[in-house]
Amino acid sequence: MAGRPADIRSDLWTALRECRLWRAAHDEAVAALARRASVRDEPRGSVLAPEGEPATGFGVVITGKVRVYYLGADGKRFVFETVGTAEPVAAVAALAGGRYPATAETATPATIAWLPREALLDLIAAEPDVAKGVIADLANRVVNFTNVVQSFTLDVPSRLARYLFQRALAVGKPSSRGLELDLGMPKSELAAALGTVPETLSRAFARLRDDGVLEVHGKTVTVLDVRSLAELGSGYSESP
């Protein structure tokens, strides 16, 4: 058998087939996963995996976006990541078999393929090469979450500078004035991702603007001084 079986809906097949955790799996194994999936259409704000609850299952996003966050004692949300189509949700926690360490909630209306923990364990047993993808994903997550934790030790302007510097490296386009980039998300979501509130984020933008580091026009940011942005956000500096 190759390709999508006739009894599996196309959007479910595409999301599961493209999920990075089991790209090495054969189509037959992915089809077996699809047949064990419970497909849910969720409105925005639906909690998929509550922090502290037993990690008995995990999801794969078919459409929409899911936000993973930790709620601090002061009520602030610290967003670890926002994932989209074909991305896994809570798979690492399910694999570990403990409790969900953070809350996964839909950031937009979303369609989710929810799978039992045993489905991933059975897949690894049937397709040993899948374990390599899971290990690589675990390693990347350790690095990413370390960066997130490190960013929370910075003040908000520095957190913002760090985010903008990394985004400038990824999507920045040269212009006559500097590097232009879009924020990648609404400012309200960016504030949550940086562990702050929109008012404080606005003051951080104002500080970077007043310091001559950048200009903001709607959702577009022009970085005027890349070196200063890097030094503030990443501890990067060049010898004069």
Side-chain angles (χ1 to χ4, degrees):
M1 180 178 65
R4 176 175 69 89
D7 63 326
I8 297 174
R9 51 191 279 180
S10 60
D11 57 349
L12 171 62
W13 175 259
T14 299
L16 293 182
R17 181 64 277 181
E18 294 180 357
C19 183
R20 65 175 183 269
L21 290 181
W22 47 72
R23 283 182 182 148
H26 294 91
D27 284 349
E28 293 87 344
V30 177
L33 275 180
R35 294 189 177 103
R36 298 177 73 172
S38 173
V39 178
R40 308 177 185 176
D41 293 316
E42 302 282 2
R44 179 179 179 180
S46 299
V47 174
L48 305 175
E51 179 190 345
E53 291 294 311
T56 58
F58 69 101
V60 176
V61 180
I62 297 177
T63 62
K65 293 183 179 180
V66 173
R67 180 186 300 118
V68 180
Y69 66 87
Y70 171 76
L71 191 63
D74 58 359
K76 288 183 180 179
R77 290 186 178 189
F78 297 90
V79 178
F80 292 120
E81 62 178 348
T82 300
V83 299
T85 300
E87 292 292 313
V89 178
V92 174
L95 185 63
R99 296 180 180 274
Y100 297 118
T103 296
E105 177 183 283
T106 53
T108 67
T111 301
I112 310 295
W114 200 256
L115 289 149
R117 172 177 182 262
E118 292 74 17
L120 182 55
L121 297 176
D122 291 346
L123 177 61
I124 292 173
E127 303 253 349
D129 283 348
V130 170
K132 298 177 183 178
V134 174
I135 291 170
D137 187 69
L138 283 170
N140 286 332
R141 284 175 178 272
V142 169
V143 172
N144 291 339
F145 286 159
T146 299
N147 288 336
V148 170
V149 172
Q150 287 175 342
S151 72
F152 287 143
T153 67
L154 303 171
D155 61 19
V156 175
S158 296
R159 291 181 217 168
L160 175 59
R162 184 187 185 102
Y163 172 80
L164 293 175
F165 177 59
Q166 293 173 343
R167 187 152 180 82
L169 292 178
V171 302
K173 297 180 180 179
S175 70
S176 60
R177 292 184 56 76
L179 279 178
E180 290 189 356
L181 58 129
D182 65 273
L183 289 178
M185 65 182 80
K187 289 182 180 178
S188 58
E189 291 186 13
L190 178 57
L194 297 178
T196 188
V197 295
E199 294 78 8
T200 304
L201 178 65
S202 294
R203 289 194 290 270
F205 269 114
R207 173 178 158 183
L208 296 179
R209 181 199 62 212
D210 293 344
D211 289 345
V213 177
L214 54 79
E215 292 179 347
V216 182
H217 301 283
K219 294 183 179 180
T220 301
V221 174
T222 302
V223 180
L224 306 176
D225 188 339
V226 176
R227 177 180 292 184
S228 293
L229 189 72
E231 290 176 349
L232 180 61
S234 301
Y236 171 83
S237 62
E238 293 182 347
S239 301

